[in-house]
Amino acid sequence: MAQKKRPIKLKELTAQRKKERILQNPPRELTGDLNIDLSLLDKLLHRSADIVIREFTLSAGEGIGVGLVYADALVDKQVIDQDIMQPLMHLARLSHLDQILTKDNAFQYVEEHLLTIGEIRITNKLDAILGGVLYGDTAILLDGSSFAILANTKGWSMRTPSEPNVEAVVRGPREGFTETLIVNLGLIRRRLKDPDLSVEIMEIGKRSKTSISLLYVADLASPELIRRLRQRLKNISIDGIVDSGYIEQLIEDSTISPFPQILSTERPDKVVANLLEGRAAILVDGTPFALIAPAVWAQFFHSPEDYYERSHIATFIRLIRLLAMTFSLTLPAIYIAFTSFHPEMLPTTLALAIAAARSRVPFSLFLETLIMETMVEVLREASVRLPGPIGPTIGIVGGLVLGDAAVGAGIVSPLTVIVVAITAIGSFASPSYSGAISFRILRYPLMFLAATFGFYGIIIGLILIVIHVASLHSLGVPYLAPYAPFHLEGQKDAILRLPWPYFWQRPTEIRPQDTERMPRPRGKNKVGGKPDHEGQ
Amino acid sequence: MKDSRKNQITSLQAAAIVASSIIGVGILTLPREVAAAAGTDGPLATLLGGGIAALLLLLLTKLGLRFPRHSLMEYSNMILGAILGRLLSLLFLVYWFLLTAILVRTFGEMVITAILPNTPLEIIIGIMLLLGAQLAAQDIKVFARIHEILLPLTIIPLLFLFLNSINAINPLHLLPILAFGPWPLIKGALATGLSFLGIESVLMLLPYYSKPQEAVKSHLYGILIPIVLYFTIVTMGLGTFGDTALQYLQWPALEQIRLAALPSMPSVFERLESIFIGIWVVVLFTSTGSLYLMVILGIRQLLGLKQQKRNRFYHYILTIPLFFLARLPQNVIAVETYARVISQAGIVLVIVGPGLLYLMALIRQKRGEEG
Amino acid sequence: MKPAKTLATLLLLLLVFNLAGCYDRRDIERRTAILAIGIDKNPEDEKGLEVTAQIAIYHNVGKTVGGSEEGGEGAPIQVTTVQGPSIGTALEKLAGMVNNPIFLGHTMLLAISQEAAAQGIYPLLDYFLRNNDFRRKSWLIITPGSAKELLALTSPLHPLPPFYILTSLESLANNKAIPIMRFEDFIFRFNSPSKQPVAVMLRAAGDKVELEGLAAFDRERMVGRLSPAELRIFLYLSQAKGRGLINLLEPTSGQIEFSYEIRNSNRRVLTKVEEKKLSFVIDLWVEGNIIENPGQVDLDDEAIIKALEQRLSAQLAGECQRLIRKIQRELKTDILNLSEYVRARHPHYYKDVDWSEEFPTVAIKVQATTHIRRLGLRRK
């Protein structure tokens, strides 16, 4: 037990000090000391878990150390095994190179005689090495040499990332996340070859031991945000995580709210765009849905496509979406309020047409609308659950046939069918499924309120919703930012979507460490610098 | 505890709170009251009244800035001593309390007359009080955010609705200007003064500002919004109806909206007043919420209660006395009389109270610690 | 747990609402929509009123509006007449005769007989003024016959009779042939001391309506009528930018020489107070085209056009002067709203004099300027 403390040898101590010194202040080039170089690379890659660092000894010569550095997700392991490991560990000995190889010539010999890889590059720049490794190359470092060989080992095998079917876009990447964490990490790495992209892996779930990775760009994301997020993840104590939905609900600020405070997406491009804004992403092994935090309400009617299309059309479409979402929230309530409480608001001819159509309907307007709304929800649920090709058919059959028959039988008035249909279509126009759900749910209380107090009731409902939404936070970021607290610079990407040259600033409400994503335009030297934020 | 006050309200939010605390019942009746007092000098009188209110707001701000980390209830004690200070605080508290009740009642009267004739007054009043309590029960910063988001959502449509009837204006109705000397103008300015009440909310909220040094600027921006809105409403009302016909109308603003159809789409919304009432509910909600918060903060600070995050149940209990108080007046005319008496008392209080405090603070050289 | 509280409040409120019931909820088809109201004097009772209402029958309306396939074959409206001492009591009586509560939110027309209007119109309007549902944009018309007769009229031109009258009125107003005098306009004129109300007069003629002119009021009492021809002149003199025809007669034969159509008119009112005496000059300016030239007047010369313009101006000024004389001498009510100018421009004078006594004797001069702009497709 009581081990005797061995005095540290002076040589070891100096090596240790030297290493520490170098790590403290990383140089731009390799040092030539394998141990130090590997540590250096490890540090620069933020000890990310998908980076493999392999150390072994060249099988011939005077015990020369070799280090391999590669990104696990991006390389073809067979190439590494057969064309790098095998020659260096095995063939070297078989070729009787013992006498020839020394620390001085090993590098050249390995390069010229041993590696059976087509494309190699030689460099001593750390930047180039990192870039290569993050793009699927394998860096081969030899002890005593201040150069590294970058061997092309690119090749990632994964389930062909299929097109995301929840968040479809017209223009934009067609790739969606798969169920494999490491593949998903690859999808992100491939788009963001930034060594500062930090991937923290942790295991959550006492029994499931699910791998969860927290991604952020280390010199962008606010340290406070990352600390908070990490803390919340660590606080999770549960037997198993099956989907990212578990994590979402376990870490969000208010679980009772109908509004999601964490964005979920199956699009790697969306994740990368958000990482670049200084947000953090959480990838969960076993699910194609990544989480993005912090999220603000505005993001739930933004689609990644908005940023790829021309700004005019993107702005227009955002307005349309907003309109559609407003419809899906309020239209049935407004319909009830107008026809049951304030018919004088309607144009006379329309009022007469509605009254004429309703004169034979047995139910009260409220009940009629309620029944129809519920039927549409039932139809939607049924068409989601039904297998493949039948689903849409049922939707059409149910919608058209039932609706037409109901109108024909005089149970439902045609205008109700129209209103309900517009409502249903409106709720599909939201690019975020979870964002649309909150509106679908809140529609019902609003309908009740409208049926009790007419227009006044709707306003009461909307006020309550505003109070609630304004009180929400997503990891300390006000949910209604950049509207409240208002931030002028943020309005460029809120309802409006200005052209890219205007987006020189990152959204400041999430407090990125570096607020500028492109050089400041001239004449923009003082405004927009320090936004007036509420205290935390 | 002092530190928890800092950094709650941004400058923009401060402006929004000032604006939406001021704008309330006034927009309904203002044209009639101004026309009765000032005749065709109404628009000018509104501007004058707004100017006076802005000056008064400046005084309140100056007073508050002498004690950047304290509210009225606290520095009145520091300036006037425990007894007199408490008395003044109590006066303010009673005034806010009564004003909340009468505000809610006026609201109820209009809702019943205009849109829900058969719904009991009690229910409408009760809901409004609960909504106000709900707003006041939020964190100060959430409270500020709600004001910030609701203000543009109400002011822009309101201005739009009123400017919509610009075609109906007969320029002759706006003449003569200043024909009978300055007296009608002054009377009119005094009449608008009632509609500018609400500026005293800054007395309680100033310690929560994240940048008190910008308070003067944001308050002036804040009061500019109601001045512009009131000026528009009065000009439009006068221009449409003429000063005499205006006085026959119970709620001129409502009548004005009734006349206006959107010229571009007359058949879509035949009558816009439901939209107007909808917006007006929101406007009244924000000012009720503000007043309610004043009462809550006032009681808390007067009794020296600690701010408790957990249990805010007592916020809702206050609705009960307010509810019964609001039910007291027998009819519309009585409501209006009470409202006039209370707001006239309010004007006196808001001018005399802070004026006295400021003078005394200058004389006794009292000053709060810097933030 | 703030959101929890919010949600709890929401639920509690919902519960309260449902327990409280829905006091004002009444579906649109459960309201008896009255599309038009006519008011006559009760022929049997000196003090009583006779109120006629056009009630929409919804299941028959279907075919006439909105293109619905449904709809019965019967008449889309029912005309019901009730009697009572006041509007309120009459409508209450009506409410007892129909199966749903009366709803005035879609009343488009308020027709009042000349007889009833001559006795004082305000008591007939007060009910509607206080009523929240009644729309301010309904047309107020006076009919020389009985309002009952007007409302009973059916026209093949529109399946819904009230719409026939309404669209006729709107088309006339669009052509600037009548002033836009709806309920609201009437009331504001009535309530302004410096104005006098007027109302459009319509007469039922078989299955058509005919423009009868303009009813002139002195406050609440109808005091006289302008004929349709005088109504045109009235429109030029008021701010309505009226349009209309002027026929220039050959001085000797009395044949129509040519017709000139006023497309646009404008007028300026100049006021002057000299030695405590007020005088008006109305500066009328019109432009328009020649639309008919049966007298084959040679138009191919600028000088001739100028001469014609002068003749037109003189004739127009004369007609205006005649109308003003009629208004001042016969009607003695300031329906041109001239006192509005006095109030605005000479407030002290206005304060000192009693305008209603002053008006019939005040000097009003009309100057007219006419412009012939176009001749149509013929040169001569």
Side-chain angles (χ1 to χ4, degrees):
Chain A
M1 243 171 79
Q3 212 170 16
K4 228 180 180 181
K5 218 176 183 181
R6 190 168 58 90
I8 303 168
K9 284 179 188 158
L10 188 64
K11 199 176 159 193
E12 263 179 54
L13 198 64
T14 26
Q16 186 92 23
R17 284 282 144 77
K18 186 181 167 200
K19 183 175 165 184
E20 273 168 19
R21 209 178 53 241
I22 291 175
L23 288 183
Q24 283 289 317
N25 197 1
R28 303 168 64 87
E29 288 161 10
L30 290 176
T31 59
D33 183 325
L34 183 64
N35 190 0
I36 293 177
D37 285 343
L38 289 181
S39 306
L40 199 58
L41 283 171
D42 199 18
K43 183 179 182 244
L44 288 176
L45 288 163
H46 297 276
R47 304 181 209 291
S48 297
D50 60 330
I51 305 295
V52 174
I53 297 180
R54 173 80 157 91
E55 261 188 282
F56 57 91
T57 315
L58 201 59
S59 62
E62 43 189 17
I64 303 160
V66 182
L68 295 188
V69 181
Y70 59 88
D72 197 17
L74 305 177
V75 298
D76 185 346
K77 295 225 182 65
Q78 215 171 351
V79 174
I80 294 179
D81 293 349
Q82 290 185 354
D83 300 324
I84 300 177
M85 301 286 272
Q86 206 162 322
L88 296 186
M89 296 181 83
H90 204 60
L91 290 178
R93 197 173 56 226
L94 291 183
S95 314
H96 305 288
L97 297 172
D98 279 351
Q99 310 88 325
I100 307 165
L101 283 182
T102 63
K103 267 196 178 179
D104 300 327
N105 66 0
F107 186 83
Q108 196 186 358
Y109 205 85
V110 166
E111 180 204 340
E112 288 175 1
H113 299 283
L114 287 176
L115 288 180
T116 54
I117 285 186
E119 184 194 329
I120 59 168
R121 281 180 293 152
I122 294 175
T123 180
N124 65 343
K125 297 269 185 288
L126 277 170
D127 280 356
I129 295 172
L130 289 175
V133 166
L134 294 175
Y135 201 34
D137 290 346
T138 300
I140 304 164
L141 280 72
L142 270 79
D143 199 13
S145 161
S146 57
F147 283 85
I149 303 170
L150 279 175
N152 181 359
T153 53
K154 287 188 184 73
W156 31 80
S157 66
M158 56 187 83
R159 184 192 86 176
T160 13
S162 52
E163 198 174 338
N165 41 19
V166 181
E167 296 165 274
V169 295
V170 177
R171 178 172 175 178
R174 295 269 182 266
E175 251 173 351
F177 284 129
T178 65
E179 280 74 13
T180 326
L181 175 62
I182 214 75
V183 173
N184 293 348
L185 282 174
L187 286 173
I188 292 170
R189 277 279 188 213
R190 231 174 65 211
R191 286 177 169 78
L192 191 58
K193 301 167 200 82
D194 183 357
D196 286 322
L197 171 61
S198 170
V199 180
E200 284 178 23
I201 289 246
M202 52 188 92
E203 225 169 54
I204 300 182
K206 281 193 223 73
R207 285 175 194 276
S208 74
K209 301 209 184 299
T210 314
S211 310
I212 306 242
S213 55
L214 172 63
L215 278 76
Y216 53 92
V217 181
D219 59 353
L220 273 185
S222 129
E224 167 67 16
L225 164 74
I226 300 302
R227 193 192 55 73
R228 212 182 271 214
L229 205 52
R230 200 184 287 134
Q231 193 55 45
R232 287 197 191 171
L233 285 172
K234 282 206 177 110
N235 284 350
I236 296 177
S237 169
I238 190 172
D239 59 344
I241 299 286
V242 179
D243 185 87
S244 55
Y246 284 39
I247 304 275
E248 179 184 342
Q249 291 168 42
L250 286 167
I251 63 171
E252 70 188 348
D253 297 57
S254 159
T255 32
I256 291 156
S257 167
F259 290 88
Q261 298 126 60
I262 290 178
L263 203 61
S264 72
T265 179
E266 51 177 338
R267 303 189 60 89
D269 51 330
K270 194 168 176 178
V271 171
V272 169
N274 278 289
L275 288 175
L276 283 174
E277 289 186 339
R279 291 189 167 86
I282 298 167
L283 265 60
V284 178
D285 198 20
T287 172
F289 286 94
L291 305 178
I292 297 170
V296 293
W297 180 78
Q299 286 183 301
F300 288 91
F301 70 93
H302 293 177
S303 158
E305 195 179 358
D306 298 352
Y307 301 95
Y308 312 147
E309 282 293 352
R310 300 193 60 72
S311 65
H312 320 88
I313 189 73
T315 304
F316 173 67
I317 286 177
R318 278 185 182 178
L319 285 172
I320 293 288
R321 273 189 215 127
L322 215 55
L323 188 74
M325 286 163 84
T326 318
F327 271 164
S328 87
L329 178 66
T330 55
L331 193 62
I334 290 178
Y335 175 57
I336 292 171
F338 273 12
T339 36
S340 295
F341 283 83
H342 322 291
E344 71 274 8
M345 274 285 282
L346 299 165
T348 306
T349 38
L350 178 62
L352 286 177
I354 295 175
R358 280 197 51 78
S359 59
R360 264 178 283 262
V361 175
F363 304 117
S364 77
L365 188 101
F366 168 60
L367 202 60
E368 185 191 342
T369 319
L370 195 66
I371 292 171
M372 288 303 285
E373 282 293 339
T374 317
M375 278 318 293
V376 167
E377 293 294 328
V378 169
L379 272 176
R380 186 199 323 245
E381 186 61 16
S383 62
V384 170
R385 301 298 153 221
L386 276 170
I390 313 178
T393 324
I394 276 292
I396 293 165
V397 169
L400 284 182
V401 177
L402 262 183
D404 197 45
V407 171
I411 303 173
V412 174
S413 68
L415 198 71
T416 310
V417 176
I418 297 173
V419 165
V420 168
I422 293 176
T423 313
I425 294 167
S427 68
F428 286 123
S430 164
S432 160
Y433 184 71
S434 50
I437 284 179
S438 50
F439 278 30
R440 260 163 71 191
I441 289 292
L442 289 173
R443 181 152 80 218
Y444 286 90
L446 272 189
M447 277 163 67
F448 274 101
L449 281 167
T452 322
F453 294 117
F455 214 70
Y456 178 46
I458 298 180
I459 299 291
I460 294 171
L462 292 179
I463 286 178
L464 282 174
I465 291 176
V466 168
I467 294 183
H468 171 66
V469 173
S471 71
L472 283 180
H473 289 88
S474 174
L475 290 140
V477 174
Y479 196 52
L480 276 181
Y483 310 115
F486 187 84
H487 183 226
L488 192 62
E489 200 63 36
Q491 302 304 317
K492 289 178 178 175
D493 182 20
I495 289 176
L496 299 176
R497 208 285 277 168
L498 293 191
W500 265 103
Y502 292 87
F503 288 172
W504 59 275
Q505 210 179 35
R506 296 197 168 87
T508 46
E509 68 265 12
I510 47 178
R511 294 162 196 241
Q513 294 176 45
D514 177 9
T515 53
E516 286 159 37
R517 66 177 126 204
M518 49 178 104
R520 242 166 227 261
R522 258 174 296 157
K524 277 273 181 189
N525 287 328
K526 75 183 198 308
V527 285
K530 259 251 173 338
D532 184 12
H533 275 299
E534 308 170 333
Q536 289 292 315
Chain B
M1 187 199 155
K2 289 272 138 57
D3 278 334
S4 72
R5 283 190 179 178
K6 271 187 203 165
N7 291 338
Q8 301 270 359
I9 299 175
T10 68
S11 300
L12 202 65
Q13 288 168 344
I17 292 174
V18 168
S20 57
S21 302
I22 291 174
I23 303 169
V25 188
I27 55 175
L28 270 190
T29 51
L30 186 67
R32 168 160 53 87
E33 283 161 6
V34 176
T40 46
D41 291 334
L44 270 186
T46 315
L47 286 184
L48 184 66
I52 295 171
L55 284 179
L56 190 57
L57 180 63
L58 219 56
L59 169 75
L60 302 187
T61 314
K62 285 272 177 245
L63 174 64
L65 285 177
R66 273 184 91 86
F67 303 89
R69 290 290 150 228
H70 296 278
S71 77
L72 170 77
M73 302 288 161
E74 290 155 354
Y75 55 68
S76 63
N77 281 6
M78 293 158 65
I79 299 172
L80 296 178
I83 297 169
L84 268 179
R86 289 250 160 78
L87 192 68
L88 187 67
S89 304
L90 197 67
L91 277 177
F92 264 97
L93 197 60
V94 168
Y95 153 66
W96 281 326
F97 196 75
L98 293 177
L99 198 60
T100 314
I102 205 76
L103 188 72
V104 172
R105 173 60 189 264
T106 315
F107 167 77
E109 286 300 330
M110 194 192 99
V111 167
I112 284 185
T113 314
I115 52 173
L116 299 171
N118 298 318
T119 307
L121 179 72
E122 285 77 6
I123 290 185
I124 293 167
I125 289 181
I127 290 174
M128 197 58 185
L129 279 173
L130 283 176
L131 278 181
Q134 177 73 12
L135 177 58
Q138 306 296 321
D139 280 342
I140 297 276
K141 61 179 169 188
V142 174
F143 170 86
R145 246 180 254 159
I146 292 168
H147 277 286
E148 189 181 19
I149 194 127
L150 289 181
L151 185 73
L153 291 182
T154 51
I155 294 304
I156 294 170
L158 271 184
L159 278 176
F160 175 77
L161 280 179
F162 281 103
L163 288 174
N164 200 31
S165 49
I166 204 155
N167 275 337
I169 282 194
N170 181 351
L172 278 183
H173 289 159
L174 299 172
L175 293 172
I177 292 172
L178 290 177
F180 301 104
W183 187 233
L185 194 66
I186 292 164
K187 267 198 338 201
L190 286 181
T192 60
L194 306 180
S195 298
F196 281 104
L197 278 176
I199 51 175
E200 69 277 10
S201 63
V202 302
L203 291 175
M204 299 301 283
L205 292 177
L206 204 78
Y208 297 94
Y209 286 9
S210 61
K211 289 183 185 165
Q213 66 272 21
E214 286 180 7
V216 171
K217 204 170 100 191
S218 55
H219 286 171
L220 286 183
Y221 277 124
I223 200 168
L224 196 65
I225 294 171
I227 292 177
V228 168
L229 182 71
Y230 286 169
F231 179 72
T232 312
I233 293 177
V234 170
T235 312
M236 291 290 158
L238 191 66
T240 312
F241 303 120
D243 62 330
T244 324
L246 202 53
Q247 293 172 40
Y248 284 88
L249 303 172
Q250 176 80 283
W251 291 306
L254 185 67
E255 200 78 13
Q256 174 127 35
I257 303 294
R258 269 168 197 262
L259 302 184
L262 295 180
S264 50
M265 35 183 177
S267 58
V268 179
F269 292 110
E270 200 109 311
R271 287 160 70 166
L272 295 166
E273 79 245 33
S274 281
I275 293 177
F276 170 71
I277 291 170
I279 297 167
W280 195 72
V281 172
V282 179
V283 166
L284 261 210
F285 156 74
T286 49
S287 40
T288 312
S290 276
L291 274 176
Y292 204 99
L293 184 73
M294 299 308 112
V295 175
I296 295 284
L297 287 178
I299 290 180
R300 200 152 65 200
Q301 288 163 7
L302 205 60
L303 299 181
L305 294 175
K306 283 260 153 62
Q307 181 169 5
Q308 278 174 326
K309 277 221 155 187
R310 285 275 153 217
N311 189 5
R312 285 185 168 155
F313 189 62
Y314 67 95
H315 283 187
Y316 298 95
I317 289 183
L318 259 186
T319 55
I320 297 170
L322 281 171
F323 176 78
F324 286 104
L325 209 58
R327 272 188 38 177
L328 228 53
Q330 290 297 313
N331 56 44
V332 187
I333 302 294
V335 172
E336 229 166 74
T337 315
Y338 285 144
R340 200 174 310 121
V341 171
I342 292 173
S343 29
Q344 277 164 356
I347 288 191
V348 174
L349 188 62
V350 170
I351 294 176
V352 172
L356 183 71
L357 283 176
Y358 195 60
L359 262 177
M360 292 300 280
L362 282 180
I363 293 168
R364 300 173 86 171
Q365 303 212 323
K366 293 268 184 186
R367 192 174 266 285
E369 73 239 47
E370 286 301 316
Chain C
M1 297 302 277
K2 241 178 295 120
K5 220 183 261 172
T6 315
L7 218 67
T9 320
L10 198 75
L11 282 175
L12 193 76
L13 283 176
L14 266 182
L15 193 71
V16 169
F17 299 157
N18 277 356
L19 291 179
C22 335
Y23 301 92
D24 285 290
R25 197 169 95 214
R26 182 158 276 278
D27 287 347
I28 184 163
E29 78 281 0
R30 310 265 299 136
R31 300 170 190 237
T32 301
I34 296 183
L35 299 181
I37 293 179
I39 302 171
D40 288 306
K41 276 184 65 180
N42 189 346
E44 287 143 35
D45 178 4
E46 187 64 14
K47 284 178 193 137
L49 295 171
E50 196 173 61
V51 175
T52 309
Q54 283 183 333
I55 299 164
I57 304 171
Y58 292 132
H59 52 270
N60 290 342
V61 162
K63 261 190 179 159
T64 63
V65 289
S68 165
E69 284 163 36
E70 292 167 53
E73 293 302 312
I77 59 158
Q78 189 188 32
V79 181
T80 311
T81 303
V82 284
Q83 287 156 348
S86 70
I87 304 286
T89 37
L91 286 181
E92 196 187 0
K93 212 169 178 184
L94 181 68
M97 296 157 73
V98 293
N99 58 343
N100 282 315
I102 285 177
F103 179 58
L104 295 180
H106 284 295
T107 308
M108 298 177 278
L109 206 62
L110 192 59
I112 295 171
S113 75
Q114 187 173 351
E115 206 186 350
Q119 283 198 345
I121 200 168
Y122 185 76
L124 310 179
L125 302 182
D126 188 69
Y127 178 87
F128 302 105
L129 273 172
R130 281 182 206 283
N131 187 295
N132 180 60
D133 284 338
F134 188 79
R135 52 178 59 192
R136 266 53 181 159
K137 288 195 174 293
S138 309
W139 280 85
L140 176 78
I141 53 176
I142 306 289
T143 179
S146 74
K148 190 176 167 183
E149 197 185 330
L150 187 73
L151 295 196
L153 173 153
T154 56
S155 164
L157 295 177
H158 199 291
L160 274 173
F163 274 96
Y164 165 65
I165 300 178
L166 185 77
T167 45
S168 308
L169 282 167
E170 275 171 359
S171 139
L172 282 170
N174 277 342
N175 282 330
K176 309 266 161 69
I178 55 170
I180 299 180
M181 261 314 130
R182 288 180 286 210
F183 185 68
E184 65 190 30
D185 307 294
F186 186 88
I187 288 304
F188 293 137
R189 278 174 165 247
F190 176 76
N191 276 342
S192 308
S194 48
K195 291 175 182 173
Q196 290 290 0
V198 291
V200 177
M201 292 184 79
L202 282 186
R203 186 164 58 87
D207 61 355
K208 293 187 184 58
V209 289
E210 206 176 304
L211 182 62
E212 183 71 10
L214 195 71
F217 285 76
D218 185 0
R219 283 303 123 216
E220 60 167 328
R221 213 172 296 280
M222 177 173 165
V223 290
R225 181 179 82 87
L226 302 187
S227 71
E230 288 166 334
L231 171 57
R232 293 270 178 188
I233 308 291
F234 172 80
L235 286 179
Y236 307 143
L237 289 176
S238 67
Q239 282 171 314
K241 298 190 183 297
R243 295 180 191 164
L245 284 184
I246 300 180
N247 292 325
L248 212 57
L249 303 182
E250 173 128 69
T252 48
S253 66
Q255 295 276 317
I256 290 182
E257 207 167 357
F258 72 98
S259 299
Y260 169 77
E261 188 192 31
I262 296 176
R263 300 291 303 164
N264 193 8
S265 67
N266 208 347
R267 66 108 169 86
R268 234 158 21 116
V269 175
L270 310 171
T271 51
K272 205 160 44 170
V273 180
E274 270 175 359
E275 294 162 9
K276 302 229 166 187
K277 259 305 198 205
L278 186 75
S279 65
F280 285 96
V281 176
I282 299 179
D283 192 0
L284 182 63
W285 169 96
V286 298
E287 62 175 354
N289 310 328
I290 288 178
I291 58 162
E292 209 175 347
N293 186 9
Q296 298 178 30
V297 182
D298 187 7
L299 300 168
D300 205 12
D301 189 350
E302 175 105 36
I304 295 174
I305 300 276
K306 279 268 175 294
L308 287 177
E309 282 178 351
Q310 266 169 20
R311 277 176 68 192
L312 282 170
S313 299
Q315 182 166 341
L316 192 59
E319 282 178 37
C320 290
Q321 242 7 312
R322 250 197 310 285
L323 178 69
I324 286 173
R325 202 173 310 127
K326 173 175 176 178
I327 292 174
Q328 277 186 305
R329 306 276 153 76
E330 220 175 285
L331 305 177
K332 296 192 174 73
T333 166
D334 180 18
I335 52 175
L336 285 170
N337 292 346
L338 292 176
S339 58
E340 191 64 31
Y341 290 87
V342 190
R343 187 194 60 75
R345 293 182 189 159
H346 309 286
H348 294 282
Y349 177 87
Y350 182 74
K351 221 175 140 195
D352 292 341
V353 299
D354 181 1
W355 182 251
S356 57
E357 290 193 358
E358 198 86 345
F359 177 70
T361 57
V362 78
I364 304 172
K365 204 178 151 226
V366 181
Q367 298 168 349
T369 318
T370 317
H371 293 287
I372 297 174
R373 299 290 188 208
R374 276 156 213 101
L375 311 177
L377 296 178
R378 303 284 292 183
R379 288 290 293 169
K380 300 200 175 198

